[in-house]
Amino acid sequence: MSTETADEITSRPSERATVERMYRYVFFACASVSIAVTLGIVGLLGWNAVEFFTLPEVNPVGFFTGTEFLLSRDQFGVLPLLTGTLLVTIISAMIALPIGTAAAVYLSEYASDRARSVLKPALEILAGIPTVVYGIFALVYVTPFLRTFGFPLNTFNVLSASVMVGIMIIPMVSSLSEDAMSAVPDSLRQAAYGMGATKFEVSTGVVIPAAISGIFSSYILALSRAIGETMIVAVAMGSRSRMFDFANPLQNLWEGNQPMTAAMVQINSADNVSGPGFLSMFAIGMTLFVVTFLMNLASNRIAARYREEYE
Amino acid sequence: MAAETPSWAQQAGQVSRLRGRAFEAICLASTSLALVSVMVLLLFVANDAFRPFEAEPALTFAIPVLPGLELFVVPVVLPAYLLVFGATLGLPVALTALYYYRRDDPAGEVAYATLGLPIVSLLVSAGVLVMFIEVLTVSELFATELALLVAVGAIYGHARLRPRKAVERLAIIIVAPVVALAGLPPAMFNDIVNGIAGLAGVGPVLTTRLFSVRELVLASPFLPVRWVMLLATVTLPVVAIFAPILARRRESREAGLALGGLSMIVAALGLVAAPALGVGSDVWIVVASVTVPPLAVYVEGVVRRREGMAGLAFPLVLIGGALAGWLLVQQVGFGMPDPWLDWGFLTNAHSRFSAEKTGIYPPLVGSVMMLFAIVILIFPVGVGAAIYLEEYAPSQGLAGKFVTLIEINIGNLAGVPSVVYGLLGLALFIRFLSMPVGAIIVGALAVGLLILPIVIISAQEAIRAVPDSHREASYGMGATRWQTIRDVVLPQAFPGILTGTILALGRAIGETAPLLMIGMPAIVRRAPDGFFATGSAMPRQIFRWSKEFDPLYRHGVLAAGVVTLLVVLLIMNGTAIILRNKFQREETA
């Protein structure tokens, strides 16, 4: 080893430098793979989506305004899928946002160090459970459980799937919000205590407003996760798309439905490999990608832009 | 923040305790709600998979939840065998755990690790065995390893003989493995060229080629007997990893050699002992080779530090209790339950006729092979990207802008839905590059691209945690940037990178949507025999079973599949956590 080092010190630099440059290029290529992936998604999905819209039996306006999605009759209205996605997202958000925020407040403000060291990893384990397992929980255990409360649920229904999606995204809300709350400097809390505030008032009046940008960005990320969630809805919500029924809003929860992601899975398992139905999958996928990508960007922007800066 | 006067500033003296207490209670309840509900669901699914309460004879009684009220009476069934095991296994384990917890000793962690290490090693050896049975033969593995050895020897020899010729060495690093493993040119290349020539109406163009070391070994008539090859291919590499660790720690070559000798002897003992126990000697050799060396190194460390030695007793309590309980139950003749998740489930394929005979073996093999492929394909790229972003990336100018773009892009890619990656895999690998539909390699690529951002981000964090002073010391001694990365940064960041990668692989093993999109078949009768063969994976199979309405599937097969998947995942995450704790302890020490 020692002789080798001596050799390297006295060697001519030019050859070493060539190798150094080569390593730099190799690593740069590795880093560029991520850009290639994004370009690949945009390019390939976009190309196939354009192919779909230029098919004679497809009407681009009808795609975005049609209220029926039926592969067998070449009906490609995306609205029922969109309302299905919205329904799942809204119900899961109603569960995950309050619970996740409250959990974050508890972890950051109330929990002892020991409790935090147990609860935080435990919540992260929830995020690690495969989503297909959550789907099976919804289908096999949650639906019969909810029926005992008298909800008239079908075997495949929106409610239990959405509840499971909500539980799945709780860790995302709680851990990112907790990070934001923990980043609030202690001096602010001390100042409020000094003015006679109680712990409740410090939590709700000082910490949450100071961490609000982080909390919001966690909300957006969680919502984008709920929009993109595939397996829970594919397992537990059935495979019939339904337009939202405004006359009977609760009925929508008892019945099955099909959001965008589940529709893609179903189209893929059908056998026509180049028909308009198959290509419509790419149009839906592109829509999904654009929506979630924009939401992630917005989340980053909000976190960066509206962050209260403390030294 | 707004400048209005806060509400509490005016009303001093009217402090209400109730509101604060209620708020804290709500927050605590929310935290527990998610945890408890999922925990209960996990218990339900475990109950369905193992059916622990369905065995005769059993004690049955009813517990009134509210005394005096006949409405809420919970019927309890307590099989006799459970009571026996509770006495021989449950109670001692609980008492030992309580002892560790109360004394707040490092013993608890030691117990966790001595139990976890063999389990992880067993899982690894199961993976190795599966690869043997389904993909490679022992002689192929032997030839491959010999070839790799020759390649490494060539590189090392060049570094010794001509230390200054860096460019030459780079060329050798690239060429030597190709020559050793595939020959020059690789057989596949010749086949493709000749195939094209055949289509064009010309005879075979390339007829001569330099044979690879691998091919030469395989063709040689002097291949050693099977068990010698097994010892050489499985035991020796493991020993080569762990013996130097021990030798360095004890600062004696003898200790390392002793460990090596011990492992070889235990492994070779399988030739005699395994048939007596009714196991194949191959199984013994593989299991012993991957279990003994790491366990020996760990136990040696515990004994040397004299910290938490009581923890070493935990596996003995566990194994002894289980054995005693089993013997007792056999003697008395109590019935045992018939779990869905049993050996038959793990080793059978899906059966069209009977839920009882259905199994998860082919998808299990598919999942293992996919993990293998993901590690080989994605790990180098992810770590390379992290190295570039942390060590090389310029922060100014046009290039700096590009790097910022890459960073933002990686963050966003981590949030793209998995089903979109499936579409990418379908469009890119199957429709554009026309790779086989539903092949293991396509699934690995799609899921691998999905976890790539996670691998990059965690590797970046691990590299960032290496203090700058170490880099500067290395530069100060005249090392170049790559030498610094290779000899200073990567060795220190490696445990962190490993932890992050295992966690990402845990994500990969449960991903289903991409597999559906690239057309993995719902039912596979035989395990895939290569990376380009069509295969299934555990979550794909579970999704298929979720379509069965039969309660035998709903509350039986499905539950068993879910528990299998979760156990594999739990072990992977547990390994990552042990590694992280060990790493953090060494950091602070």
Side-chain angles (χ1 to χ4, degrees), chain A residues 80-189:
Chain A
L81 306 181
L82 217 55
T83 55
T85 298
L86 269 179
L87 199 58
V88 173
T89 311
I90 289 171
I91 300 173
S92 59
M94 278 161 57
I95 291 169
L97 302 193
I99 292 183
T101 317
V105 171
Y106 183 78
L107 286 175
S108 139
E109 302 301 312
Y110 287 97
S112 65
D113 280 346
R114 184 151 196 174
R116 197 189 352 248
S117 73
V118 174
L119 288 175
K120 223 183 157 185
L123 276 173
E124 274 160 24
I125 286 178
L126 292 195
I129 294 179
T131 52
V132 65
V133 172
Y134 277 117
I136 286 159
F137 284 165
L139 176 69
V140 180
Y141 303 104
V142 176
T143 299
F145 175 70
L146 289 176
R147 273 192 194 139
T148 59
F149 290 102
F151 294 120
L153 295 176
N154 289 352
T155 309
F156 299 109
N157 61 80
V158 172
L159 185 62
S160 55
S162 309
V163 167
M164 247 27 243
V165 174
I167 289 180
M168 184 200 76
I169 59 176
I170 285 176
M172 186 156 250
V173 178
S174 70
S175 102
L176 291 175
S177 301
E178 202 254 345
D179 289 346
M181 291 179 196
S182 301
V184 174
D186 252 357
S187 58
L188 274 146
R189 293 190 186 89

Side-chain angles (χ1 to χ4, degrees), chain A residues 184 188-189 192 197 201-211 310, chain B residues 1 8:
Chain A
V184 174
L188 274 146
R189 293 190 186 89
E201 286 160 344
V202 171
S203 303
T204 53
V206 175
V207 176
I208 290 182
Y310 310 103
Chain B
M1 283 206 302
W8 69 76

Side-chain angles (χ1 to χ4, degrees), chain B residues 253-279:
Chain B
R253 287 180 86 96
E254 286 76 26
L257 287 176
L259 175 73
L262 177 79
S263 314
M264 296 298 268
I265 290 170
V266 174
L269 215 62
L271 291 174
V272 195
L277 283 173
V279 230

Side-chain angles (χ1 to χ4, degrees), chain A residues 224-264:
Chain A
S224 115
R225 189 77 197 276
I227 289 175
E229 177 43 48
T230 310
M231 290 323 290
I232 299 180
V233 290
V235 170
M237 259 169 70
S239 50
R240 257 192 71 193
S241 62
R242 273 199 185 81
M243 191 61 196
F244 190 83
D245 181 6
F246 289 96
N248 204 347
L250 274 181
Q251 187 63 28
N252 293 302
L253 301 185
W254 316 144
E255 284 174 348
N257 204 328
Q258 194 176 42
M260 294 194 282
T261 50
M264 286 158 70

